[in-house]
Amino acid sequence: MTTVTKALSVGALRAEPGTKTRGSVRADLGTLTVDLPLTLVNGARPGPRVTITAGVHGGEFTPVDAAARLATLLDPDEVRGQVIICPVANPPAVYDGRLNVSPVDGVNINRVFPGDPDGSPTERLASWLFAHLVDGADVYIDLHCGGIDQVLRDFVGYRLTGAPDLDGATAELAGSFGIEDVILGLEADGGNSHAAAARRGISAVLVEVGELGQRDGATADRRVDGVLQALRHLSVLAPTGQNGPTGTTAPAVREWVWAAGVTAEATGLWYPEFSAGDDVAEGDLIGRIIDPADGAEHEVHTPVGGRLFYGMHGLTVAPGHELAAIAAPWDPDPATRPADFRTPGVGVAPAEPDPHA
Ligand SMILES: [Zn+2]
């Protein structure tokens, strides 16, 4: 980790050591501009730089709520290092669409990181966020939850990079949020922001807490507490202090790896037969799609066994819509891992290692 004692600035926003600055910075996306809300917390003492984003997707309310609460809560006198908080990283998707794709160009920004400064508006936004907020951080925490039509069991995700020190530090970080389930991706590939950050050597995690458009304070507080615990783990905050509960012991973590994403093969009405967090066996029926024209029934079975971490809750689906994502227990020891367990690029695997994220 680098130690930082100098001024912290993003665009025209600037925070001297020992101060906090709140405001917004305008990003030019070619055909439009967006104003990104930012809080810069520049600690009185040196330490790592941590970037926290929420609102990368629209319709994910508790992360936005939690990031805003955190921005109010953090006191630069108590912070070692620097914390950059962006509660609404994708304003068009958050304010105008409430979906994981942007209404501006139909792009899911979390498929295109680190972005393209000459690309579509969403690709330009990804590039701006990556260049101004993520690159240069020691640690990156990206807050998500199930969307308005998604059920989800809380989990932390991260990607293996093959660099032992980085992967070890990220595994410890992933275990510090007080969330039992950690899902790892065996490669740092694809356009997820945390994957792109991992490829740059940044310790990066995806934190998923909440579902179904919930916006209750208890869920947001649970998330804030988790981030505060992580900041204590990183020594950005002292082990005990004014911010939230103290002395809580992190639960034992179970590690999983993504095993399958199940997508709809028919248009119609979706009747799931699972709850988020259910354990399923290969071939289990997980729901039915009913054709509203003639009542014809299309059964959906899971191609793999494991735990169902999130799934579609909306009634109406079309081919390609994601119905469920399933992870299998991960055995880090190749000597005892089942020989047929999937290796990167082999066997049944979702098109994206983090299909929702
Ligand atoms: Zn998301």
Side-chain angles (χ1 to χ4, degrees):
M1 300 268 174
T2 53
T3 54
V4 193
T5 52
K6 54 191 178 188
L8 173 60
S9 59
V10 178
L13 277 190
R14 181 180 173 95
E16 299 298 330
T19 69
K20 173 162 73 174
T21 300
R22 303 185 73 170
S24 63
V25 174
R26 182 158 293 177
D28 182 353
L29 309 185
T31 55
L32 73 158
T33 60
V34 293
D35 292 322
L36 294 153
L38 286 173
T39 294
L40 310 181
V41 186
N42 199 355
R45 289 163 291 176
R49 178 183 292 180
V50 180
T51 290
I52 300 168
T53 53
V56 163
H57 287 143
E60 300 182 2
F61 298 134
T62 59
V64 173
D65 189 1
R69 291 173 189 231
L70 197 66
T72 300
L73 194 62
L74 286 182
D75 178 348
D77 289 336
E78 296 177 355
V79 165
R80 292 177 184 269
Q82 301 177 328
V83 183
I84 299 173
I85 302 171
C86 181
V88 179
N90 190 352
V94 167
Y95 289 118
D96 300 334
R98 296 200 179 114
L99 294 172
N100 60 7
V101 295
S102 174
V104 173
D105 53 15
V107 173
N108 179 341
I109 195 172
N110 221 16
R111 296 290 177 276
V112 301
F113 281 97
D116 178 353
D118 301 314
S120 77
T122 295
E123 290 171 328
R124 291 178 190 223
L125 177 56
S127 175
W128 192 98
L129 293 168
F130 202 80
H132 288 84
L133 307 184
V134 179
D135 228 358
D138 300 294
V139 174
Y140 173 49
I141 299 169
D142 188 26
L143 304 177
H144 288 249
C145 66
I148 289 171
D149 58 4
Q150 276 182 326
V151 291
L152 180 142
R153 176 183 171 88
D154 296 355
F155 69 90
V156 180
Y158 76 97
R159 302 297 190 83
L160 296 178
T161 66
D165 289 352
L166 176 60
D167 291 348
T170 307
E172 289 187 10
L173 172 65
S176 71
F177 289 85
I179 296 173
E180 289 175 20
D181 295 304
V182 172
I183 307 180
L184 40 100
L186 302 179
E187 291 182 327
D189 56 349
N192 292 153
S193 62
H194 69 286
R199 291 198 292 273
R200 293 289 178 94
I202 298 165
S203 187
V205 291
L206 162 79
V207 182
E208 298 262 5
V209 177
E211 59 179 0
L212 293 173
Q214 289 168 350
R215 50 160 299 170
D216 59 293
T219 305
D221 284 341
R222 189 164 92 240
R223 164 92 58 142
V224 170
D225 288 345
V227 175
L228 292 175
Q229 287 184 51
L231 293 176
R232 291 187 199 104
H233 164 76
L234 295 166
S235 298
V236 170
L237 295 176
T240 58
Q242 300 300 312
N243 291 330
T246 58
T248 39
T249 306
V253 161
R254 279 171 302 203
E255 286 193 315
W256 305 80
V257 63
W258 289 117
V262 181
T263 54
E265 294 177 349
T267 298
L269 311 183
W270 165 237
Y271 294 90
E273 299 195 7
F274 60 79
S275 299
D278 280 358
D279 292 322
V280 294
E282 180 181 341
D284 277 0
L285 178 73
I286 58 170
R288 295 177 169 85
I289 298 172
I290 307 294
D291 185 335
D294 59 8
E297 182 177 298
H298 178 90
E299 289 191 345
V300 178
H301 299 264
T302 172
V304 296
R307 180 163 293 173
L308 201 153
F309 274 91
Y310 54 86
M312 172 61 71
H313 186 74
L315 177 66
T316 48
V317 299
H321 286 185
E322 185 176 54
L323 301 177
I326 296 151
W330 172 241
D331 180 351
D333 183 355
T336 54
R337 192 184 311 154
D340 62 350
F341 200 86
R342 94 175 173 93
T343 51
V346 178
V348 178
E352 285 277 338
D354 299 319
H356 153 76

